[in-house]
Amino acid sequence: MEGRSPAAIAVSEAYEQFARRELAGFSAAYERICLAVAADDELLDRLSTLPVPKRQPNLLLGAVRWLDGPIGGYEPFREFVLGRWELVEEVVLRRRTQTNEANRCAAVLPLLARVHAETGKPLALIEVGTSAGLCLLPDRYGYRYGDRRVGDPAALVQLACDVQGPVPVPAAVPPIAWRAGIDINPLDVTDPGDMRWLECLVWPEQTDRRERLRAAVSIARLDPPRIVSGDLNETIEKLVEEAPADATTVVFHTAVLAYLDEEGRAAFARKMASLPVRWIANESPQTFPEIAARVTAPPPPGPYLTVLALDGRPYAYGAPHGQSLYWL
Ligand SMILES: C[S@@+](CC[C@H](N)C(=O)[O-])C[C@H]1O[C@@H](n2cnc3c(N)ncnc32)[C@H](O)[C@@H]1O
């Protein structure tokens, strides 16, 4: 610990926090590795040589999986990373954390239905930071909110969300007239390499998530959503202009805006206030502190790490992969 550089201290803190806040209870293998990395000076120094956005635990863990490295115990893991650093570094630099979790549709759906109920019009969906576009297909999945079912009960993908509080579970999935996504690095559902990378980003014990990913990809392949390549702030206006006038345009994002700096997030929030759109954000409280500050109740115990908001007004706490909602 003594003599650690400021960069190594920051990496250590990031790994420890990720282990305690996100992995605990969900991935014992990754939790063990991340806690050990947080205490490993040699590895911390190596990780500190990477550009800041590339120091994320998910990227290192995904890269080791991509290279078929060991993730069972810490010693073989560290030996692999240090011994094959050039290979690991190449994957980390080339790839991004693009975890595409269809289950996040279950978090967003109650607000999509609310917008539809308010306007009476079909929706035009624009997802920024869409990855492979799996969350752009809410009408191709079925849903289970506790014991209530929504959407097609025969759909290949059935999304599940535990509910706490008065979650307004919709009677049906609202009609979607048009959809498009934006990503700085779109992933292609028909590209085996891109899809293998998405699988490497699913935590090892989460076989249900891996199966859901495969099933959602097979649904998306039947009619892949349109994804525009570009930075969300630079691309959003043009896409909003393209949306059909007889639909209500909803711009939404889940687990994306944290990848922008403060200025980029503020610029995006200003665009959402000035464009003719409704805006659904499902992000960590730190991403839009001004939205989180409007929540008076602290999150209940459980994996409630996101705040779900419509037009800047918070409605619920959510779990990171859409697996539970706590309605405010
Ligand atoms: C963690 S993934 C989340 C993907 C998807 N929203 C989901 O919830 O399943 C974050 C995505 O945001 C994209 N992204 C990050 N910064 C971006 C930017 N400035 N403009 C567009 N996309 C961006 C990444 O490429 C990545 O695909």
mmCIF file of all heavy atoms in Angstrom, residues 43-81:
data_model
loop_
_atom_site.group_PDB
_atom_site.id
_atom_site.type_symbol
_atom_site.label_atom_id
_atom_site.label_comp_id
_atom_site.label_asym_id
_atom_site.label_seq_id
_atom_site.Cartn_x
_atom_site.Cartn_y
_atom_site.Cartn_z
ATOM 1 N N LEU A 43 0.046 -5.800 -10.083
ATOM 2 C CA LEU A 43 -1.035 -5.723 -11.061
ATOM 3 C C LEU A 43 -1.612 -4.297 -11.143
ATOM 4 O O LEU A 43 -1.941 -3.807 -12.226
ATOM 5 C CB LEU A 43 -2.141 -6.729 -10.707
ATOM 6 C CG LEU A 43 -2.877 -7.311 -11.898
ATOM 7 C CD1 LEU A 43 -1.925 -7.956 -12.885
ATOM 8 C CD2 LEU A 43 -3.906 -8.324 -11.457
ATOM 9 N N LEU A 44 -1.693 -3.649 -9.994
ATOM 10 C CA LEU A 44 -2.215 -2.269 -9.990
ATOM 11 C C LEU A 44 -1.307 -1.367 -10.818
ATOM 12 O O LEU A 44 -1.789 -0.514 -11.580
ATOM 13 C CB LEU A 44 -2.324 -1.740 -8.555
ATOM 14 C CG LEU A 44 -3.404 -2.410 -7.693
ATOM 15 C CD1 LEU A 44 -3.312 -1.912 -6.246
ATOM 16 C CD2 LEU A 44 -4.807 -2.135 -8.258
ATOM 17 N N ASP A 45 0.016 -1.563 -10.688
ATOM 18 C CA ASP A 45 0.943 -0.754 -11.489
ATOM 19 C C ASP A 45 0.736 -1.018 -12.973
ATOM 20 O O ASP A 45 0.743 -0.099 -13.784
ATOM 21 C CB ASP A 45 2.404 -1.070 -11.112
ATOM 22 C CG ASP A 45 2.786 -0.373 -9.806
ATOM 23 O OD1 ASP A 45 2.062 0.561 -9.408
ATOM 24 O OD2 ASP A 45 3.792 -0.782 -9.190
ATOM 25 N N ARG A 46 0.538 -2.281 -13.319
ATOM 26 C CA ARG A 46 0.343 -2.631 -14.727
ATOM 27 C C ARG A 46 -0.951 -1.991 -15.246
ATOM 28 O O ARG A 46 -0.971 -1.386 -16.309
ATOM 29 C CB ARG A 46 0.280 -4.152 -14.845
ATOM 30 C CG ARG A 46 0.557 -4.692 -16.216
ATOM 31 C CD ARG A 46 1.964 -4.388 -16.710
ATOM 32 N NE ARG A 46 2.973 -5.115 -16.001
ATOM 33 C CZ ARG A 46 3.466 -6.296 -16.364
ATOM 34 N NH1 ARG A 46 3.021 -6.866 -17.452
ATOM 35 N NH2 ARG A 46 4.410 -6.887 -15.654
ATOM 36 N N LEU A 47 -2.023 -2.106 -14.472
ATOM 37 C CA LEU A 47 -3.311 -1.539 -14.912
ATOM 38 C C LEU A 47 -3.234 -0.018 -15.026
ATOM 39 O O LEU A 47 -3.909 0.590 -15.860
ATOM 40 C CB LEU A 47 -4.425 -1.948 -13.943
ATOM 41 C CG LEU A 47 -4.785 -3.441 -13.953
ATOM 42 C CD1 LEU A 47 -5.712 -3.780 -12.787
ATOM 43 C CD2 LEU A 47 -5.450 -3.831 -15.274
ATOM 44 N N SER A 48 -2.385 0.585 -14.173
ATOM 45 C CA SER A 48 -2.262 2.054 -14.186
ATOM 46 C C SER A 48 -1.606 2.563 -15.460
ATOM 47 O O SER A 48 -1.669 3.757 -15.749
ATOM 48 C CB SER A 48 -1.439 2.543 -12.988
ATOM 49 O OG SER A 48 -1.979 2.046 -11.803
ATOM 50 N N THR A 49 -0.966 1.681 -16.232
ATOM 51 C CA THR A 49 -0.358 2.139 -17.496
ATOM 52 C C THR A 49 -1.419 2.296 -18.590
ATOM 53 O O THR A 49 -1.153 2.851 -19.640
ATOM 54 C CB THR A 49 0.708 1.127 -18.014
ATOM 55 O OG1 THR A 49 0.058 -0.116 -18.312
ATOM 56 C CG2 THR A 49 1.805 0.904 -16.977
ATOM 57 N N LEU A 50 -2.633 1.775 -18.347
ATOM 58 C CA LEU A 50 -3.695 1.861 -19.362
ATOM 59 C C LEU A 50 -4.355 3.239 -19.318
ATOM 60 O O LEU A 50 -4.380 3.886 -18.253
ATOM 61 C CB LEU A 50 -4.768 0.803 -19.077
ATOM 62 C CG LEU A 50 -4.341 -0.663 -19.191
ATOM 63 C CD1 LEU A 50 -5.413 -1.568 -18.573
ATOM 64 C CD2 LEU A 50 -4.104 -1.030 -20.649
ATOM 65 N N PRO A 51 -4.930 3.706 -20.424
ATOM 66 C CA PRO A 51 -5.730 4.938 -20.364
ATOM 67 C C PRO A 51 -6.858 4.770 -19.331
ATOM 68 O O PRO A 51 -7.382 3.655 -19.172
ATOM 69 C CB PRO A 51 -6.312 5.060 -21.776
ATOM 70 C CG PRO A 51 -5.485 4.153 -22.638
ATOM 71 C CD PRO A 51 -4.916 3.093 -21.757
ATOM 72 N N VAL A 52 -7.238 5.844 -18.675
ATOM 73 C CA VAL A 52 -8.193 5.748 -17.554
ATOM 74 C C VAL A 52 -9.462 4.949 -17.900
ATOM 75 O O VAL A 52 -9.834 4.046 -17.149
ATOM 76 C CB VAL A 52 -8.542 7.166 -17.016
ATOM 77 C CG1 VAL A 52 -9.639 7.090 -15.961
ATOM 78 C CG2 VAL A 52 -7.295 7.825 -16.447
ATOM 79 N N PRO A 53 -10.122 5.208 -19.050
ATOM 80 C CA PRO A 53 -11.373 4.447 -19.297
ATOM 81 C C PRO A 53 -11.135 2.955 -19.500
ATOM 82 O O PRO A 53 -12.082 2.176 -19.509
ATOM 83 C CB PRO A 53 -11.916 5.064 -20.598
ATOM 84 C CG PRO A 53 -11.149 6.311 -20.825
ATOM 85 C CD PRO A 53 -9.844 6.172 -20.124
ATOM 86 N N LYS A 54 -9.880 2.554 -19.665
ATOM 87 C CA LYS A 54 -9.581 1.140 -19.924
ATOM 88 C C LYS A 54 -9.189 0.395 -18.653
ATOM 89 O O LYS A 54 -8.759 -0.761 -18.709
ATOM 90 C CB LYS A 54 -8.454 1.036 -20.957
ATOM 91 C CG LYS A 54 -8.817 1.630 -22.304
ATOM 92 C CD LYS A 54 -9.850 0.782 -22.999
ATOM 93 C CE LYS A 54 -10.224 1.318 -24.371
ATOM 94 N NZ LYS A 54 -11.208 0.462 -25.030
ATOM 95 N N ARG A 55 -9.292 1.055 -17.518
ATOM 96 C CA ARG A 55 -8.878 0.404 -16.265
ATOM 97 C C ARG A 55 -10.039 -0.299 -15.576
ATOM 98 O O ARG A 55 -9.893 -0.791 -14.459
ATOM 99 C CB ARG A 55 -8.270 1.458 -15.322
ATOM 100 C CG ARG A 55 -7.016 2.077 -15.889
ATOM 101 C CD ARG A 55 -6.490 3.187 -15.000
ATOM 102 N NE ARG A 55 -5.409 3.910 -15.684
ATOM 103 C CZ ARG A 55 -4.883 5.045 -15.259
ATOM 104 N NH1 ARG A 55 -5.323 5.609 -14.148
ATOM 105 N NH2 ARG A 55 -3.923 5.631 -15.940
ATOM 106 N N GLN A 56 -11.190 -0.309 -16.201
ATOM 107 C CA GLN A 56 -12.403 -0.899 -15.616
ATOM 108 C C GLN A 56 -12.269 -2.393 -15.372
ATOM 109 O O GLN A 56 -11.818 -3.119 -16.264
ATOM 110 C CB GLN A 56 -13.521 -0.742 -16.622
ATOM 111 C CG GLN A 56 -14.415 0.403 -16.388
ATOM 112 C CD GLN A 56 -15.738 0.150 -17.097
ATOM 113 O OE1 GLN A 56 -15.797 -0.615 -18.042
ATOM 114 N NE2 GLN A 56 -16.764 0.783 -16.613
ATOM 115 N N PRO A 57 -12.703 -2.887 -14.206
ATOM 116 C CA PRO A 57 -12.629 -4.327 -13.938
ATOM 117 C C PRO A 57 -13.297 -5.183 -15.013
ATOM 118 O O PRO A 57 -12.733 -6.188 -15.452
ATOM 119 C CB PRO A 57 -13.367 -4.471 -12.597
ATOM 120 C CG PRO A 57 -13.316 -3.127 -11.958
ATOM 121 C CD PRO A 57 -13.220 -2.119 -13.065
ATOM 122 N N ASN A 58 -14.493 -4.787 -15.461
ATOM 123 C CA ASN A 58 -15.208 -5.605 -16.451
ATOM 124 C C ASN A 58 -14.397 -5.841 -17.723
ATOM 125 O O ASN A 58 -14.506 -6.886 -18.354
ATOM 126 C CB ASN A 58 -16.528 -4.918 -16.846
ATOM 127 C CG ASN A 58 -17.695 -5.477 -16.053
ATOM 128 O OD1 ASN A 58 -17.710 -6.647 -15.690
ATOM 129 N ND2 ASN A 58 -18.666 -4.629 -15.780
ATOM 130 N N LEU A 59 -13.577 -4.851 -18.083
ATOM 131 C CA LEU A 59 -12.779 -4.983 -19.303
ATOM 132 C C LEU A 59 -11.663 -6.001 -19.120
ATOM 133 O O LEU A 59 -11.428 -6.849 -19.978
ATOM 134 C CB LEU A 59 -12.162 -3.634 -19.659
ATOM 135 C CG LEU A 59 -12.838 -2.806 -20.725
ATOM 136 C CD1 LEU A 59 -12.045 -1.530 -20.984
ATOM 137 C CD2 LEU A 59 -12.970 -3.598 -22.019
ATOM 138 N N LEU A 60 -10.967 -5.909 -17.985
ATOM 139 C CA LEU A 60 -9.881 -6.869 -17.721
ATOM 140 C C LEU A 60 -10.446 -8.285 -17.625
ATOM 141 O O LEU A 60 -9.927 -9.219 -18.245
ATOM 142 C CB LEU A 60 -9.164 -6.501 -16.414
ATOM 143 C CG LEU A 60 -8.101 -7.515 -15.968
ATOM 144 C CD1 LEU A 60 -6.907 -7.510 -16.920
ATOM 145 C CD2 LEU A 60 -7.625 -7.229 -14.543
ATOM 146 N N LEU A 61 -11.529 -8.425 -16.878
ATOM 147 C CA LEU A 61 -12.116 -9.760 -16.688
ATOM 148 C C LEU A 61 -12.627 -10.320 -18.019
ATOM 149 O O LEU A 61 -12.417 -11.488 -18.339
ATOM 150 C CB LEU A 61 -13.260 -9.670 -15.663
ATOM 151 C CG LEU A 61 -12.802 -9.258 -14.245
ATOM 152 C CD1 LEU A 61 -13.976 -8.733 -13.427
ATOM 153 C CD2 LEU A 61 -12.137 -10.422 -13.540
ATOM 154 N N GLY A 62 -13.261 -9.457 -18.811
ATOM 155 C CA GLY A 62 -13.756 -9.884 -20.119
ATOM 156 C C GLY A 62 -12.604 -10.274 -21.036
ATOM 157 O O GLY A 62 -12.698 -11.256 -21.783
ATOM 158 N N ALA A 63 -11.509 -9.517 -20.971
ATOM 159 C CA ALA A 63 -10.356 -9.811 -21.843
ATOM 160 C C ALA A 63 -9.746 -11.165 -21.488
ATOM 161 O O ALA A 63 -9.395 -11.953 -22.381
ATOM 162 C CB ALA A 63 -9.310 -8.708 -21.707
ATOM 163 N N VAL A 64 -9.649 -11.467 -20.198
ATOM 164 C CA VAL A 64 -9.084 -12.765 -19.788
ATOM 165 C C VAL A 64 -9.993 -13.891 -20.276
ATOM 166 O O VAL A 64 -9.528 -14.919 -20.781
ATOM 167 C CB VAL A 64 -8.860 -12.812 -18.256
ATOM 168 C CG1 VAL A 64 -8.482 -14.218 -17.800
ATOM 169 C CG2 VAL A 64 -7.782 -11.808 -17.857
ATOM 170 N N ARG A 65 -11.290 -13.687 -20.171
ATOM 171 C CA ARG A 65 -12.229 -14.714 -20.662
ATOM 172 C C ARG A 65 -12.097 -14.863 -22.187
ATOM 173 O O ARG A 65 -12.139 -15.963 -22.715
ATOM 174 C CB ARG A 65 -13.666 -14.322 -20.301
ATOM 175 C CG ARG A 65 -13.933 -14.241 -18.819
ATOM 176 C CD ARG A 65 -14.643 -15.484 -18.298
ATOM 177 N NE ARG A 65 -15.956 -15.682 -18.857
ATOM 178 C CZ ARG A 65 -17.041 -14.971 -18.571
ATOM 179 N NH1 ARG A 65 -16.959 -13.977 -17.699
ATOM 180 N NH2 ARG A 65 -18.198 -15.262 -19.112
ATOM 181 N N TRP A 66 -11.980 -13.721 -22.881
ATOM 182 C CA TRP A 66 -11.846 -13.744 -24.345
ATOM 183 C C TRP A 66 -10.645 -14.609 -24.750
ATOM 184 O O TRP A 66 -10.675 -15.338 -25.733
ATOM 185 C CB TRP A 66 -11.678 -12.310 -24.843
ATOM 186 C CG TRP A 66 -11.432 -12.181 -26.305
ATOM 187 C CD1 TRP A 66 -10.213 -12.099 -26.936
ATOM 188 C CD2 TRP A 66 -12.405 -12.117 -27.366
ATOM 189 N NE1 TRP A 66 -10.379 -11.993 -28.293
ATOM 190 C CE2 TRP A 66 -11.710 -12.004 -28.589
ATOM 191 C CE3 TRP A 66 -13.807 -12.143 -27.389
ATOM 192 C CZ2 TRP A 66 -12.361 -11.914 -29.819
ATOM 193 C CZ3 TRP A 66 -14.456 -12.055 -28.619
ATOM 194 C CH2 TRP A 66 -13.738 -11.946 -29.809
ATOM 195 N N LEU A 67 -9.584 -14.503 -23.933
ATOM 196 C CA LEU A 67 -8.345 -15.249 -24.235
ATOM 197 C C LEU A 67 -8.355 -16.643 -23.612
ATOM 198 O O LEU A 67 -7.316 -17.304 -23.558
ATOM 199 C CB LEU A 67 -7.142 -14.437 -23.716
ATOM 200 C CG LEU A 67 -6.943 -13.075 -24.398
ATOM 201 C CD1 LEU A 67 -5.962 -12.208 -23.606
ATOM 202 C CD2 LEU A 67 -6.452 -13.259 -25.837
ATOM 203 N N ASP A 68 -9.519 -17.051 -23.106
ATOM 204 C CA ASP A 68 -9.663 -18.361 -22.457
ATOM 205 C C ASP A 68 -8.734 -18.519 -21.259
ATOM 206 O O ASP A 68 -8.242 -19.617 -20.970
ATOM 207 C CB ASP A 68 -9.411 -19.513 -23.465
ATOM 208 C CG ASP A 68 -10.495 -19.551 -24.532
ATOM 209 O OD1 ASP A 68 -11.672 -19.338 -24.184
ATOM 210 O OD2 ASP A 68 -10.164 -19.774 -25.706
ATOM 211 N N GLY A 69 -8.484 -17.417 -20.562
ATOM 212 C CA GLY A 69 -7.634 -17.458 -19.366
ATOM 213 C C GLY A 69 -8.403 -17.977 -18.163
ATOM 214 O O GLY A 69 -9.630 -18.098 -18.186
ATOM 215 N N PRO A 70 -7.676 -18.291 -17.066
ATOM 216 C CA PRO A 70 -8.321 -18.878 -15.886
ATOM 217 C C PRO A 70 -8.971 -17.817 -14.990
ATOM 218 O O PRO A 70 -8.381 -16.767 -14.732
ATOM 219 C CB PRO A 70 -7.138 -19.527 -15.148
ATOM 220 C CG PRO A 70 -5.947 -18.710 -15.555
ATOM 221 C CD PRO A 70 -6.225 -18.144 -16.909
ATOM 222 N N ILE A 71 -10.161 -18.104 -14.527
ATOM 223 C CA ILE A 71 -10.825 -17.171 -13.620
ATOM 224 C C ILE A 71 -11.275 -17.875 -12.335
ATOM 225 O O ILE A 71 -12.000 -17.308 -11.525
ATOM 226 C CB ILE A 71 -12.041 -16.492 -14.295
ATOM 227 C CG1 ILE A 71 -12.892 -17.552 -15.001
ATOM 228 C CG2 ILE A 71 -11.623 -15.415 -15.248
ATOM 229 C CD1 ILE A 71 -14.308 -17.187 -15.100
ATOM 230 N N GLY A 72 -10.781 -19.121 -12.141
ATOM 231 C CA GLY A 72 -11.204 -19.894 -10.967
ATOM 232 C C GLY A 72 -10.527 -19.455 -9.677
ATOM 233 O O GLY A 72 -11.161 -19.338 -8.640
ATOM 234 N N GLY A 73 -9.244 -19.176 -9.723
ATOM 235 C CA GLY A 73 -8.536 -18.772 -8.510
ATOM 236 C C GLY A 73 -7.644 -17.586 -8.831
ATOM 237 O O GLY A 73 -7.353 -17.321 -10.002
ATOM 238 N N TYR A 74 -7.179 -16.872 -7.788
ATOM 239 C CA TYR A 74 -6.458 -15.637 -8.081
ATOM 240 C C TYR A 74 -5.057 -15.876 -8.646
ATOM 241 O O TYR A 74 -4.644 -15.203 -9.590
ATOM 242 C CB TYR A 74 -6.379 -14.723 -6.850
ATOM 243 C CG TYR A 74 -5.759 -13.399 -7.251
ATOM 244 C CD1 TYR A 74 -6.386 -12.609 -8.216
ATOM 245 C CD2 TYR A 74 -4.537 -12.973 -6.741
ATOM 246 C CE1 TYR A 74 -5.819 -11.425 -8.662
ATOM 247 C CE2 TYR A 74 -3.961 -11.781 -7.182
ATOM 248 C CZ TYR A 74 -4.609 -11.016 -8.143
ATOM 249 O OH TYR A 74 -4.051 -9.848 -8.592
ATOM 250 N N GLU A 75 -4.318 -16.825 -8.099
ATOM 251 C CA GLU A 75 -2.926 -17.010 -8.538
ATOM 252 C C GLU A 75 -2.825 -17.299 -10.033
ATOM 253 O O GLU A 75 -2.070 -16.627 -10.744
ATOM 254 C CB GLU A 75 -2.235 -18.095 -7.705
ATOM 255 C CG GLU A 75 -1.623 -17.562 -6.395
ATOM 256 C CD GLU A 75 -0.774 -16.300 -6.583
ATOM 257 O OE1 GLU A 75 0.095 -16.300 -7.470
ATOM 258 O OE2 GLU A 75 -0.980 -15.308 -5.864
ATOM 259 N N PRO A 76 -3.570 -18.313 -10.542
ATOM 260 C CA PRO A 76 -3.498 -18.548 -11.998
ATOM 261 C C PRO A 76 -3.951 -17.327 -12.810
ATOM 262 O O PRO A 76 -3.400 -17.037 -13.863
ATOM 263 C CB PRO A 76 -4.457 -19.721 -12.214
ATOM 264 C CG PRO A 76 -4.754 -20.286 -10.881
ATOM 265 C CD PRO A 76 -4.418 -19.272 -9.836
ATOM 266 N N PHE A 77 -4.928 -16.590 -12.282
ATOM 267 C CA PHE A 77 -5.426 -15.404 -12.988
ATOM 268 C C PHE A 77 -4.307 -14.363 -13.127
ATOM 269 O O PHE A 77 -4.021 -13.863 -14.208
ATOM 270 C CB PHE A 77 -6.625 -14.814 -12.228
ATOM 271 C CG PHE A 77 -7.123 -13.492 -12.772
ATOM 272 C CD1 PHE A 77 -8.058 -13.459 -13.806
ATOM 273 C CD2 PHE A 77 -6.662 -12.285 -12.256
ATOM 274 C CE1 PHE A 77 -8.517 -12.246 -14.316
ATOM 275 C CE2 PHE A 77 -7.108 -11.073 -12.761
ATOM 276 C CZ PHE A 77 -8.037 -11.054 -13.790
ATOM 277 N N ARG A 78 -3.631 -14.074 -11.993
ATOM 278 C CA ARG A 78 -2.603 -13.016 -12.016
ATOM 279 C C ARG A 78 -1.411 -13.444 -12.868
ATOM 280 O O ARG A 78 -0.840 -12.657 -13.622
ATOM 281 C CB ARG A 78 -2.222 -12.588 -10.601
ATOM 282 C CG ARG A 78 -0.955 -13.172 -10.025
ATOM 283 C CD ARG A 78 -0.686 -12.684 -8.628
ATOM 284 N NE ARG A 78 -0.034 -11.377 -8.592
ATOM 285 C CZ ARG A 78 1.271 -11.194 -8.727
ATOM 286 N NH1 ARG A 78 2.079 -12.200 -8.979
ATOM 287 N NH2 ARG A 78 1.784 -9.983 -8.635
ATOM 288 N N GLU A 79 -1.091 -14.740 -12.780
ATOM 289 C CA GLU A 79 0.016 -15.258 -13.594
ATOM 290 C C GLU A 79 -0.301 -15.078 -15.078
ATOM 291 O O GLU A 79 0.547 -14.685 -15.868
ATOM 292 C CB GLU A 79 0.157 -16.756 -13.295
ATOM 293 C CG GLU A 79 1.594 -17.246 -13.246
ATOM 294 C CD GLU A 79 1.602 -18.669 -12.724
ATOM 295 O OE1 GLU A 79 1.588 -18.848 -11.483
ATOM 296 O OE2 GLU A 79 1.573 -19.570 -13.561
ATOM 297 N N PHE A 80 -1.542 -15.362 -15.437
ATOM 298 C CA PHE A 80 -1.972 -15.236 -16.833
ATOM 299 C C PHE A 80 -1.887 -13.775 -17.280
ATOM 300 O O PHE A 80 -1.325 -13.461 -18.331
ATOM 301 C CB PHE A 80 -3.412 -15.760 -16.972
ATOM 302 C CG PHE A 80 -3.927 -15.759 -18.377
ATOM 303 C CD1 PHE A 80 -3.760 -16.860 -19.198
ATOM 304 C CD2 PHE A 80 -4.596 -14.645 -18.891
ATOM 305 C CE1 PHE A 80 -4.233 -16.861 -20.510
ATOM 306 C CE2 PHE A 80 -5.057 -14.631 -20.201
ATOM 307 C CZ PHE A 80 -4.884 -15.746 -21.005
ATOM 308 N N VAL A 81 -2.422 -12.874 -16.451
ATOM 309 C CA VAL A 81 -2.470 -11.450 -16.840
ATOM 310 C C VAL A 81 -1.055 -10.890 -16.973
ATOM 311 O O VAL A 81 -0.723 -10.223 -17.970
ATOM 312 C CB VAL A 81 -3.295 -10.628 -15.815
ATOM 313 C CG1 VAL A 81 -3.196 -9.134 -16.117
ATOM 314 C CG2 VAL A 81 -4.755 -11.063 -15.842
#
